[in-house]
Amino acid sequence: PAAARALVPLVEDGDRSVAIEAVRSLARLRATIAVAPMLAAVQAPRTDPQLRLEIVKGAQRASGSPGPH
């Protein structure tokens, strides 16, 4: 979806609240195209710990994996 493509770059936005909302939105959309970029962001050494947690939860939901949502 176009919305997911527009949100993916925001996962790495310098504003943590923007990045977190992008991750949450991508998870709600179950945007599988966002899983790889989210996992790359979670592995980046400078990723904020709270954002890292949101990414892990969001990537899990977006990929359709079972687990807490």
Side-chain angles (χ1 to χ4, degrees):
R5 284 191 296 278
L7 289 167
V8 167
L10 298 177
V11 170
E12 296 184 18
D13 193 274
D15 182 333
R16 180 177 76 168
S17 60
V18 170
I20 287 173
E21 287 306 316
V23 168
R24 289 176 179 168
S25 295
L26 288 163
R28 281 192 297 275
L29 291 170
R30 298 207 187 274
T32 57
I33 66 164
V35 174
M38 283 197 267
L39 294 179
V42 89
Q43 293 174 359
R46 296 182 63 135
T47 299
D48 176 85
Q50 180 64 36
L51 176 56
R52 187 172 279 126
L53 176 62
E54 291 292 335
I55 290 171
V56 169
K57 292 189 299 187
Q60 183 178 41
R61 184 172 180 195
S63 70
S65 296
H69 297 290

